[in-house]
Amino acid sequence: MSGLIPVLVLAVFVLVAVSFVVIFRQNHRTQVGREQAELTRTDDARAEARRWIDRLGTEVLSTSGTDAHSTDLVGQASARLTAATTHLGDATSPAQARTARDIALEGLHLMRDARRAMGQPDGAPIPAPEERA
């Protein structure tokens, strides 16, 4: 019986060690999965922002105002283009990429107002920037 105790202690130690290894691996996999999901969300938000920034860039570069008011609106939209591009370049989270998208949307709304001031059609629909609490 005295030879059985060290074997039982060793068996318990091995079981505890294996349990820790299994738990550690599972937690590691979960963490890697979360990090990958966050990267995917960030990439998706950056792509969405890039789409609106590119559209704004096209509109700003292809439109010039016909009077002081419309010229001012195009200038403001151009400033939003620069700001959105800068914000997107610095974005490391989905929220930061959405901020860049919202700045681009503001610029697109300014471009729509400039087209209206020049008597041109509104163009394609533009969503409203997200509300911030």
Side-chain angles (χ1 to χ4, degrees), residues 9-77:
V9 169
L10 181 61
V12 168
F13 176 76
V14 168
L15 284 173
V16 168
V18 168
S19 296
F20 278 123
V21 169
V22 168
I23 290 169
F24 175 78
R25 288 185 66 195
Q26 183 61 36
N27 286 341
H28 179 71
R29 285 185 191 151
T30 301
Q31 181 64 27
V32 168
R34 284 186 192 127
E35 289 170 359
Q36 189 62 37
E38 181 67 13
L39 285 174
T40 299
R41 283 191 297 276
T42 299
D43 288 345
D44 290 347
R46 287 177 60 85
E48 172 75 2
R50 172 56 50 205
R51 181 171 74 99
W52 292 109
I53 291 169
D54 289 347
R55 179 172 161 191
L56 175 58
T58 299
E59 290 192 24
V60 165
L61 291 174
S62 65
T63 306
S64 57
T66 57
D67 59 13
H69 180 64
S70 61
T71 300
D72 180 57
L73 289 169
V74 172
Q76 289 179 42

